[in-house]
């Protein structure tokens, strides 16, 4: 006898005992789900006439195993028929004038209501039977009645959700093959954790109905006992074995059994081949089914493995994708802070940060690699409407614990669609221990909180590199993450240290999720291009050539070699060209002059080196090895015979206007099959703009600029005469909009900016450059309107760096180069967790320097991952040989299952919350409101009202 039979035996025993005490005549004994009959069920002689029932079981009969099968459409009314208002022997009397105050069966419904209320198609409940449809739930509970009829002494079950009603005249309201009492096992009128929904055919929306298979409609609970047996899938979990593939896809389902509720149904694209939804590795090759079917659509697509073929996991696949070879990841999560963080196992110390009894975040330390972090959640600062505003508002608190270098930042969308800024700074702290500095930052950002790193010193002192992440989920939910390392340990020759990558993985958005979000394992194969078919990129530098720029130009020149070295180590085919801020205005030495595309780094240095002039066809003051910087010696390529861009240009700088005019001149460019031109971009290359300027853009038209943007403008505030920011965004393209840019390429052109930071004063010709220096350049101050060039950089997805000193310029170019390389890398199918990535190849260009079976993390000889771009790039000896190579990557990927940006599940705290319904609220009439905190009535009760009834919005009921 199974659990379901025991439930009904106990329930009916109670009913029979009550009836015997009252001398009542009961309807036939209900038929039990494991009766094991096929002909309509066993008969049951009635207590008065010795006859048989008039059908005895639900009108779908039972299966050979005794499972009720009411059919998926009508719910299966018992064949004994609805109560027909006749008076059974010893029962209640339909003509009794006191029926309104009587409840013969103690189900919460008065006898009058039961005799007179039509539940549809003439069906009525039985006033002599507490459970008319014999589904295990009293009639009153099914109708959300838990208050006794006045004047009676009945004790009723409590209904925890008065808006989720099942049909007391149908044992299986939703027609999924499970009795309502089996689905609501707790008998409280609500869908609790671990229960299926008696109003939904497919509670977990995996393409399988909750109950047994019916004809060609696949089911999950084959014996309808409400339990997940070993050979069954779980109707409460869309992915029973956790391999990332929906149960329905694994079983070849192509038709959605519940299209109204399950609107995100995924059909199996290859239904003739199936995998085992109860075994995460169907073919036993050590690689999970979901990792092999990397887009989880049920088919074997190009580049994918076959989850039914155990012989395809050899070579690089087995080396990185087999379960035993996956890179280990440690997850730390806090529900109150709505934070989940992926960390390498070396983070041996992780402690909650609390304000009073509320956990607000975590603080952690990796003693092996000397990296610390803090992460917490707070409301967005007052006046901050995006991640940039959040960073600007909180930066002073960070700076209060040590002077900061100038910020380098990039705005992007996180893997789950939230506005984010990654910013890094260098922070002074020469004698401060790394762990104590991390504690100090928590003190500054969360004063009064508790939870700090252990007292034992790290042994590492400053200065420090801070890699920060600001994720603006909503006005109520800002997540701040700060990774802290020793500056010398992650810069210069240590740029490829484990600590450097660890800090970047923490801060690039790849490690952060909301609490409760699960992961799945991915295995992807991709072809790496040979050197002859490498991705192409054309850089266009736009440099301010006004009188205050010589030092900044020189600082950029000193970074050129490091930039080119990084580009040469990648798979990119790159070129560089340059114009100045005077390019589009008359009449200056650099007006209309393009320093043409080149791969010669010494030419780029010459353009930026003060005094470099053309002598005998070669630019002076720059190296001649490995290649001299040739030049025309006349004015065709601008000042100094095509060498130094000089500082004799317009004082009303228009870097954005110059970039726009130059792009118009060099595009649409040479076709892929054509011969390269030094004065034209390549149509099959990505075009990237880098602007360098200490004054904000003052472009007023196609070929004009205006000092301070016209009448009324000052060094601190723009006048009304300049072109709108939106015009430039429309031209270059927005990273967050699908609108096609209006430039000739029709593609987004990212604009990176090394410019005067917000709130700073730049370009002064003498003395301290502050608000009192009248020689300062035009740069709108906070509160006086947006910075024009910064707005365009942020909109196009570029890196925003500082021009204030040589170190900041160098850091900015490193970030710009890294981003450019990343954008040309392999884009993964899912959002990877950076610390989980493992790469192998079938061939590398230099096996002596690169282990192909486990490619190291390095931008010299190895691979790198960029979380904001979601790409993997290969470098140096780990690039493919001349014929190209097959690469395989394994990683864990976040699954975006939490939609409430403020933490938790939408409407989870509302009494009518439902964990199984897509709208998060019980019943067809309710849905979660836009703010995600309250279940409200849907318009017209969700169109749930039947013919002859209408929606009462005040009570959200059909009347």
């Amino acid at each position: 006898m199974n659990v379901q039979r025991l439930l009904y035996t106990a329930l009916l025993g109670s009913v029979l005992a009550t009836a015997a005490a009252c001398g009542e005549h009961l309807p036939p004994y209900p038929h039990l789900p494991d009766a094991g009959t096929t002909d309509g069920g066993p008969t049951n002689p009635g207590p008065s006439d010795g006859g048989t029932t008039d059908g005895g079981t639900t009108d779908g009969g039972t299966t050979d195993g005794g499972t009720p099968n009411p059919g998926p459409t009508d719910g299966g009314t018992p064949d004994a028929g609805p109560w027909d208002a006749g008076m059974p022997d010893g029962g209640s009397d339909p003509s009794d004038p006191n029926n309104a105050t009587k409840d013969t069966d103690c189900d919460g419904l008065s006898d009058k209501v039961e005799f007179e209320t039509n539940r549809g198609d003439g069906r009525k409940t039985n006033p002599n039977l507490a459970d008319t449809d014999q589904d295990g739930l009293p009639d009153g509970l099914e109708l959300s009645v838990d208050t006794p009829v006045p004047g009676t002494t009945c004790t009723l079950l409590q209904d925890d959700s008065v808006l989720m009603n099942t049909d007391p005249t149908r044992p299986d309201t939703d027609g999924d093959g499970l009795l309502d009492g089996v689905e609501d096992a707790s008998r409280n009128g609500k869908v609790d954790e671990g229960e299926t929904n008696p109003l939904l055919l497919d509670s977990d929306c995996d393409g399988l109905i909750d109950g047994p298979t019916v004809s060609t409609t696949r089911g999950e609970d084959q014996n309808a006992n409400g339990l997940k047996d070993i050979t069954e899938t779980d109707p409460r979990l869309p992915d029973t074995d956790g391999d990332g593939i929906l149960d329905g896809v694994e079983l070849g389902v192509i038709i959605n059994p519940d299209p109204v509720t399950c609107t995100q149904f995924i059909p199996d694209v290859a239904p003739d081949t199936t995998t085992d939804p109860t075994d995460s590795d169907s073919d036993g090759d050590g690689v999970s089914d979901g990792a092999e079917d990397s887009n989880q659509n049920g088919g074997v697509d190009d580049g994918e493995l076959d989850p039914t073929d155990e012989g395809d996991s050899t070579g690089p696949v087995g080396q990185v994708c087999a379960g035993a070879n996956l890179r280990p990841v440690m997850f730390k999560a806090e529900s109150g802070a709505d934070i989940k963080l992926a960390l390498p196992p070396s983070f041996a110390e992780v402690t909650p940060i609390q304000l009073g009894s509320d956990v607000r975040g975590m603080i952690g330390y990796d003693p092996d690699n000397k990296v610390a972090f803090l992460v917490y959640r707070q409301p967005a600062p007052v006046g901050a409407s995006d991640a940039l505003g959040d960073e600007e508002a909180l930066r002073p608190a960070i700076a209060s614990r040590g002077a900061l270098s100038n910020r380098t930042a990039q705005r992007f969308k996180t893997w789950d669609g939230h506005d984010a800024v990654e910013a890094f700074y260098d922070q002074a702290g020469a004698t401060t221990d790394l762990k104590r500095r991390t504690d100090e930052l928590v003190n500054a950002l969360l004063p009064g909180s508790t939870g700090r790193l252990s007292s034992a010193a790290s042994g590492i002192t400053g200065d420090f590199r801070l890699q920060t992440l600001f994720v603006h989920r909503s006005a109520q939910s800002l997540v701040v993450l700060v990774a802290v390392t020793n500056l010398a340990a992650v810069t210069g020759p240590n740029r490829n240290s484990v600590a450097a990558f660890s800090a970047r993985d923490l801060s690039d958005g790849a490690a952060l999720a909301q609490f409760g979000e699960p992961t799945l394992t991915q295995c992807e194969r991709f072809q790496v291009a040979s050197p002859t078919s490498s991705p192409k990129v054309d850089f266009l530098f736009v440099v301010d050539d006004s009188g205050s720029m010589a030092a900044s130009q020189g600082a950029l020149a000193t970074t050129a070699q490091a930039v080119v070295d990084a580009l040469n180590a990648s798979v990119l085919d790159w070129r560089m060209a340059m114009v100045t801020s005077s390019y589009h205005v008359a009449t200056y030495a650099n007006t209309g002059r393009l320093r043409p595309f080149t791969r010669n780094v010494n030419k780029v240095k010459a353009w930026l080196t003060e005094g470099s002039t053309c002598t005998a066809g070669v630019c002076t003051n720059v190296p001649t090895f490995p290649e001299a910087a040739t030049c025309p010696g006349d004015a065709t390529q601008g000042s100094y015979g095509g060498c130094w861009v000089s500082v004799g240009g317009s004082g009303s700088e228009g870097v954005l206007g110059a970039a726009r005019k130059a792009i118009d001149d060099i595009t649409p460019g040479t076709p892929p099959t054509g011969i390269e031109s030094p004065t034209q971009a390549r149509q099959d290359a990505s075009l990237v703009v880098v602007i360098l300027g200490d004054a904000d853009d003052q472009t007023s038209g196609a070929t004009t600029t205006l000092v301070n943007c016209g009448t009324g403008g000052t060094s601190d505030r723009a006048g009304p005469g300049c072109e709108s920011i939106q015009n430039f965004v429309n031209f270059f393209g927005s990273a967050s909009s699908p609108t096609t840019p209006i430039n000739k390429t029709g593609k987004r052109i990212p604009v990176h900016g090394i410019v005067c930071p917000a709130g700073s004063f730049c370009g002064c010709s003498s003395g301290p450059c502050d608000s009192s220096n009248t020689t300062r350049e035009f740069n709108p101050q906070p509160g006086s309107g947006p910075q024009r060039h910064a707005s365009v950089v942020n909109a196009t997805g570029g890196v925003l760096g500082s021009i204030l000193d040589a170190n900041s310029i160098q850091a900015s170019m490193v970030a710009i180069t890294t981003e450019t390389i990343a954008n040309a890398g392999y884009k993964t199918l899912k959002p990877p967790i950076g610390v989980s990535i493992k790469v192998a190849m079938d061939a590398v260009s230099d096996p002596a320097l690169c282990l192909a079976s486990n490619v190291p993390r390095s931008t010299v000889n190895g691979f790198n991952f960029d979380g904001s771009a979601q790409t993997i790039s290969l470098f140096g000896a780990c690039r493919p040989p001349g014929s190209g190579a097959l690469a395989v990557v394994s990683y864990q990927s976040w699954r975006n299952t939490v939609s409430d940006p403020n933490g938790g599940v939408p409407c989870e705290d509302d009494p009518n919350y439902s964990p199984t319904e897509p709208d998060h609220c019980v019943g067809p009439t309710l849905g979660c409101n836009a703010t995600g905190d309250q279940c409200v009535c849907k318009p017209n009760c969700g169109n749930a009202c039947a013919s002859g009834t209408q929606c009462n919005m005040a009570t959200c009921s059909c009347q």
Side-chain angles (χ1 to χ4, degrees), residues 196-221:
T196 52
N197 192 321
L199 298 177
L200 298 180
L201 272 170
D202 181 5
S203 293
D204 57 8
C205 286
D206 61 358
L208 307 173
I209 62 173
D210 296 341
T213 294
V214 179
S215 184
T216 59
T217 304
R218 301 293 294 264
E220 304 205 60
D221 187 355

Side-chain angles (χ1 to χ4, degrees), residues 69-70 78 88 159 248 256 318 320 337-338 373 493 670 708 744 758 799 843 923:
N69 184 15
D159 191 335
N256 187 354
V320 300
D338 190 30
F373 77 87
T670 56
N708 299 335
K744 293 178 183 177
V799 171

Side-chain angles (χ1 to χ4, degrees), residues 348-374:
E349 183 180 344
V350 179
T351 302
I353 300 172
Q354 294 183 228
L355 269 176
S357 60
D358 294 334
V359 177
R360 298 291 295 275
M362 296 176 279
I363 186 171
Y365 178 63
D366 176 354
D368 293 345
N369 299 300
K370 311 300 182 185
V371 178
F373 77 87
L374 66 93

Side-chain angles (χ1 to χ4, degrees), residues 4-20 26-32 44 128-137 187:
Q4 186 176 339
R5 185 176 177 88
L6 287 171
L7 170 67
Y8 288 120
T9 300
L11 175 64
L12 265 297
S14 174
V15 173
L16 288 169
T18 302
L26 288 177
Y29 194 90
H31 299 289
L32 302 173
N44 183 27
N128 296 291
L129 187 61
D131 180 10
T132 297
D133 58 8
Q134 304 166 18
D135 62 358
L137 302 177
R187 300 174 69 209

